[in-house]
Amino acid sequence: MALSDVRWDQQVPLPKLSSCQSRIVVGLAAVLCFANSYDGEFVFDDSEAIINNKDLKPETPLNNIWRNDFWGSNLSSNTSHKSYRPLTVLTFRLNYFLADGLHPVGFHVLNIALHSIVSVLMIDVFTILIGGSVSQVSKAAFLAALFFAVHPVHTESVAGIVGRADLLCALFFQLSFLTYCKAFRKGKHKEDTFSVIWIVASLVLCAVAMLCKEQGITVLGVNAAFDVIIICNIKIYELSQRILFKGKLIEANELFRRGLPTRAVLLTCGGTLLLYMRWKIMGTGPPAFTEVDNPASFAENTFIRAVNYNYYYSLNAWLLLCPWWLCFDWSMGCVPLIESLLDWRIIWVLLLWICLALLMGQALCSQDSNKRRNLTFGLVLLVVPFLPASNLFFRVGFVIAERVLYLSTAGYCLILTYALSPLLGLICVNMARCAFRSQQWRSEQNLFTSALSICPLNAKVHYNVGKNLADRGNQSAAVRYYREAVRLHPKYVHAMNNLGNILKEKNELLEAEQLLSKAVHIQPDFAAAWMNLGIVQNSLKKFEDAEQSYWNAIRFRKKYPDCYYNLGRLESEGFFLNALKINPNAASCHGNLAVLYHRWGKLELAKKHYELSLQLDPNAPGTKDNFNMLKRKLEQAHKNN
C-alpha cells in the first residue's frame, strides 16, 4: 500500500478489522437492512415476471426459458420487451421447484442473500481499485463496501423479487472484474506478462452476467479502464498534455511490451461478439415503447430531448445523494418535461455538470496520486454501468428506474468514502431508511400508497392504488383513484377499462359504455375492453352491438374463453363448445351448456355437462339445483317408460 493510501486509511475513523471480520460485518449489515422484507408479498412487476410466467412451472419445457423473454413472452413477438435474462428466470424456476409452488418467502430470502454476497465481494473490488491487498482489507475499502451494503436505493432490487436480475448481474459483473485482475497476478520476474486464460474466463463471466441482465456487458469498460490506468500506468492528464502540446503518444514499444494491444483486441472482439449475439437473440429488432414510458425520447426537438435526458441524470444523482425520494414507478407524468430554458429545473442540470467537472478535474489533475486513482475509478464505476440506461445508445422504457443504479452505487460509495469518511452517522441513517423502505415493499398496498406523496402526477400510481383497492373489495374507493388516473392521463385505456367494469357492477351502464367505447377507440386491439363493452351493451339490450364487440375481442385475442362464454350466452351452443376447446376445465361453460341442453330437451348431454361442471367446481352456484331438477325429470321419464 502506498504512503498516500496509508494516510487516507488512517483518516477513516474505524477500527482495523481482519479480512474475515470485515466481510462478516458488511454481510450482516446488508442482511439487517432488508431482513424485514423476507416474508413480503409478490408486488408490482412480480405479477407478470413470476405469478403469470409459465416458464417457472415444472410442466413447461425447460428449453422455453432460452426462447422467451424475462416475462415469459416469445422473443419473436412484437409485444416482447426483448429483455433476455434466462439465468434469472432459471433461479425463479428453482425457487418454484424447491417451494413446490409460488411461495414468496424463498424468493425474498434468496434476494437478500444475493445482496449480502454482492456487498461482501465489493470489499475485494474496492480493495483492488484503492490499491490494497485482498488479504489485508483497508479501512477505506471496508467503509465503501459498508456504504454500498446499506444504501436505500437498493430496496427495489432487493425487496422486489424481479430485482434479482440486477443482483445476479452485479454478482457476475464482480466475478468478471476480479477474474480479469487475476490475469496480472504474477511473480516478480513476470510482472509484464498476463494470462490469456484468465481474460477469456473474464469474458465468459461477462456473458453470464448478460444472461442475468443486459447491463452485464459494461464490465468490459471497467476492465479496460483498470487495464489502462493501473496495469499500464497511463496517466490520462499527462497523456492529454502530450497529445495537445507535444503531439505524441506513449511509445508503441512500451504498450506492446505491456501487452495492452493484445488485451484490447481480446476485449473488443469478445464484446463485439456478445453484442452481436444479443442483437440476434432479439429477433424482430428493439422493443417498442410508448411516449408515456419515456416522454423525453419522443420529443422532436433535439435540444429539448438532450436537456431532459440530462435532467433525468441529475435526478438519478439525487437519488444516490439523498435516497428519501423513492418511488416504484416514475412514468406517466411523474417527471414533467422541461420545454423551456426558463424552467427553473435546468439549474439541477447545470449543478450536475459542475459537480462532475470538479470531480473529473480532481481525478485528472490532483497532485495526490491516491486521490486521482480513487476518484477516477469512482467515476468509472458510477458512469459505465449506467450507460445502458442513459438513452444515449437506444431508447429505454422508463424515465427513472432505481434498480438500474444498483451497480452505479458502487462508484458513488467509493467517492463518498474519500470525501466523507468521518460521516459514519450516514451509515446508521441509511440502514434505518433501508428498513423503512423495505417495509413499504412488503405489500402492494403499502408500496403503491407510498408513491402518492412522491409522484402525485403519475397516473400509473393512482391506477395501481385503485386496482389494489378493487382487488381488496373496496370498489367505491377504487373509483376515485381510477378517475384521477384518467384525469391525469386521458388516454389511459387500462384505467378506463377497470373503471368501466366497476361502473358496470354498480349498474351505471351509460357511463361505463362511454368509457369502454373511448378505450377501444384509443386502442382498437384492446380485446378485454371490447369484451367488457359487449357485456355492458348486452345489459343495455343492444344485442347487435354486443355481438359485434364480442367478435372484435375474439379477432384480437383468438384464445379468449371468457369472451366465447359471453358470446355463448348471447348466441348459444357453438360458442360454449369453442370455449371448452380452448379451456376444457371451465366449470361455468359446462354448467351453462348443460342448462342449454336441459332447456332443449337433450337430457343426456345436459346430465354429462352438469356432472363435469360439478366435478370441476362442486360449489358452482345453481348447478346442483339444476342437476337435481334434471335427475327428477330423468327419473320421471324412466318411470313413464
Side-chain angles (χ1 to χ4, degrees):
M1 191 180 288
L3 181 61
S4 57
D5 297 322
V6 173
R7 285 202 304 269
W8 183 29
D9 222 42
Q10 290 173 345
Q11 294 172 5
V12 178
L14 286 173
K16 183 71 174 178
L17 301 178
S18 69
S19 176
C20 181
Q21 290 171 332
S22 299
R23 285 164 170 74
I24 290 172
V25 171
V26 169
L28 286 176
V31 169
L32 287 173
C33 283
F34 303 102
N36 63 349
S37 68
Y38 88 96
D39 60 347
E41 304 170 359
F42 293 115
V43 299
F44 195 40
D45 287 340
D46 296 344
S47 298
E48 292 302 315
I50 297 171
I51 297 175
N52 299 328
N53 192 342
K54 294 179 181 178
D55 289 345
L56 271 63
K57 298 179 180 178
E59 59 268 23
T60 303
L62 190 60
N63 286 341
N64 279 24
I65 69 170
W66 302 100
R67 294 195 296 265
N68 295 341
D69 66 16
F70 187 53
W71 313 95
S73 300
N74 193 291
L75 282 162
S76 62
S77 169
N78 290 330
T79 60
S80 170
H81 279 205
K82 312 298 183 184
S83 45
Y84 187 64
R85 303 165 190 173
L87 294 187
T88 303
V89 178
L90 187 61
T91 67
F92 292 155
R93 185 164 174 143
L94 179 63
N95 274 127
Y96 187 102
F97 173 77
L98 293 175
D100 194 25
L102 289 171
H103 304 289
V105 171
F107 289 85
H108 283 295
V109 168
L110 183 52
N111 269 30
I112 296 169
L114 283 169
H115 174 61
S116 180
I117 293 168
V118 170
S119 299
V120 169
L121 280 176
M122 278 298 174
I123 294 176
D124 294 336
V125 173
F126 289 140
T127 297
I128 290 172
L129 294 180
I130 288 171
S133 168
V134 174
S135 59
Q136 294 181 341
V137 176
S138 68
K139 291 191 288 184
F142 167 62
L143 182 58
L146 197 55
F147 275 134
F148 177 87
V150 304
H151 201 292
V153 84
H154 296 330
T155 309
E156 180 176 356
S157 297
V158 182
I161 297 171
V162 295
R164 186 176 301 172
D166 301 279
L167 301 173
L168 287 170
C169 176
L171 174 62
F172 289 104
F173 181 105
Q174 292 172 312
L175 293 175
S176 176
F177 173 73
L178 294 172
T179 303
Y180 192 84
C181 297
K182 190 84 171 174
F184 305 99
R185 292 183 181 176
K186 303 294 180 183
K188 297 180 182 178
H189 305 296
K190 296 184 179 181
E191 57 186 8
D192 291 327
T193 63
F194 63 93
S195 168
V196 173
I197 293 175
W198 282 111
I199 291 177
V200 171
S202 174
L203 287 169
V204 170
L205 287 167
C206 172
V208 174
M210 286 184 70
L211 291 174
C212 298
K213 190 175 181 180
E214 300 78 359
Q215 194 178 16
I217 188 70
T218 59
V219 71
L220 298 182
V222 176
N223 291 348
F226 174 81
D227 199 335
V228 169
I229 297 169
I230 302 302
I231 302 304
C232 295
N233 196 28
I234 296 175
K235 297 176 176 59
I236 306 299
Y237 177 72
E238 291 180 7
L239 178 61
S240 63
Q241 293 293 304
R242 292 172 72 174
I243 294 171
L244 291 173
F245 300 109
K246 298 181 181 179
K248 64 177 186 176
L249 300 171
I250 296 175
E251 293 293 334
N253 290 338
E254 180 67 13
L255 290 178
F256 276 102
R257 187 182 69 80
R258 293 173 179 174
L260 180 60
T262 303
R263 296 192 297 274
V265 168
L266 286 171
L267 289 177
T268 302
C269 291
T272 302
L273 178 62
L274 290 174
L275 288 173
Y276 173 75
M277 292 175 64
R278 181 66 183 83
W279 183 259
K280 290 290 288 184
I281 285 169
M282 284 201 301
T284 57
F289 298 113
T290 63
E291 187 172 354
V292 296
D293 297 320
N294 184 358
S297 67
F298 285 84
E300 294 182 2
N301 186 293
T302 304
F303 176 76
I304 295 297
R305 197 159 59 241
V307 167
N308 281 280
Y309 286 163
N310 280 273
Y311 180 58
Y312 295 166
Y313 305 156
S314 69
L315 291 178
N316 279 283
W318 182 247
L319 291 180
L320 292 176
L321 287 166
C322 186
W324 264 248
W325 196 42
L326 301 175
C327 184
F328 73 92
D329 183 87
W330 294 85
S331 63
M332 287 197 171
C334 188
V335 183
L337 281 179
I338 294 175
E339 297 180 314
S340 167
L341 286 174
L342 300 178
D343 194 314
W344 68 271
R345 291 175 295 168
I346 287 181
I347 294 172
W348 292 110
V349 176
L350 297 174
L351 188 60
L352 169 70
W353 284 104
I354 289 170
C355 292
L356 284 176
L358 291 173
L359 284 172
M360 287 189 286
Q362 288 293 302
L364 294 174
C365 306
S366 174
Q367 296 301 311
D368 185 339
S369 61
N370 180 61
K371 179 186 286 189
R372 289 201 308 270
R373 174 175 178 149
N374 293 300
L375 289 180
T376 297
F377 279 112
L379 288 168
V380 168
L381 277 175
L382 179 70
V383 174
V384 173
F386 182 75
L387 288 176
S390 66
N391 286 290
L392 292 176
F393 305 107
F394 45 80
R395 176 183 290 154
V396 299
F398 51 83
V399 175
I400 297 172
E402 293 156 22
R403 60 189 177 276
V404 303
L405 293 174
Y406 188 78
L407 273 168
S408 292
T409 309
Y412 163 75
C413 291
L414 189 57
I415 296 170
L416 183 69
T417 301
Y418 189 88
L420 300 174
S421 56
L423 298 183
L424 296 181
L426 185 61
I427 292 175
C428 298
V429 173
N430 278 356
M431 288 185 74
R433 176 58 177 157
C434 284
F436 179 76
R437 183 61 180 160
S438 59
Q439 178 70 24
Q440 293 176 330
W441 271 85
R442 282 168 54 87
S443 70
E444 289 194 332
Q445 180 183 0
N446 292 337
L447 178 65
F448 296 155
T449 54
S450 71
L452 288 171
S453 60
I454 303 298
C455 287
L457 299 179
N458 187 336
K460 189 182 287 188
V461 168
H462 292 273
Y463 168 82
N464 279 288
V465 172
K467 186 175 182 298
N468 182 258
L469 287 167
D471 290 344
R472 291 187 289 117
N474 191 349
Q475 293 192 332
S476 297
V479 167
R480 177 163 60 92
Y481 288 99
Y482 282 142
R483 289 193 188 280
E484 181 64 8
V486 174
R487 186 189 72 80
L488 290 169
H489 183 52
K491 295 185 178 180
Y492 200 169
V493 293
H494 293 285
M496 294 176 193
N497 180 57
N498 289 10
L499 178 56
N501 273 341
I502 293 178
L503 295 175
K504 174 191 69 181
E505 297 300 324
K506 297 175 72 173
N507 208 36
E508 298 179 24
L509 299 176
L510 291 177
E511 186 180 359
E513 184 184 26
Q514 290 174 355
L515 281 166
L516 293 165
S517 297
K518 184 177 180 181
V520 296
H521 177 74
I522 294 169
Q523 185 178 327
D525 63 349
F526 193 179
W530 276 116
M531 186 190 75
N532 291 324
L533 178 59
I535 295 171
V536 171
Q537 290 167 334
N538 186 49
S539 299
L540 290 169
K541 302 191 183 304
K542 299 179 179 180
F543 299 119
E544 290 185 3
D545 290 341
E547 181 182 353
Q548 185 58 51
S549 294
Y550 289 144
W551 279 118
N552 284 336
I554 292 168
R555 179 160 61 94
F556 294 117
R557 190 189 298 178
K558 304 298 182 187
K559 297 181 179 181
Y560 204 169
D562 290 342
C563 196
Y564 278 115
Y565 166 74
N566 286 307
L567 190 54
R569 291 181 63 187
L570 184 67
E571 293 202 357
S572 71
E573 177 186 22
F575 299 105
F576 282 122
L577 292 174
N578 277 332
L580 289 172
K581 283 181 183 177
I582 296 170
N583 183 6
N585 297 321
S588 59
C589 288
H590 283 291
N592 282 285
L593 190 57
V595 170
L596 284 178
Y597 288 142
H598 193 165
R599 289 175 179 171
W600 296 346
K602 299 180 180 180
L603 302 186
E604 290 302 321
L605 283 172
K607 179 175 179 291
K608 171 188 170 183
H609 286 282
Y610 276 136
E611 288 173 344
L612 287 170
S613 178
L614 290 170
Q615 285 175 14
L616 294 166
D617 183 5
N619 300 316
T623 304
K624 277 187 180 180
D625 294 335
N626 290 334
F627 190 30
N628 288 333
M629 289 171 58
L630 176 64
K631 285 193 288 188
R632 287 195 294 270
K633 191 170 185 178
L634 287 171
E635 288 172 0
Q636 185 66 39
H638 183 70
K639 286 178 183 179
N640 292 336
N641 291 333

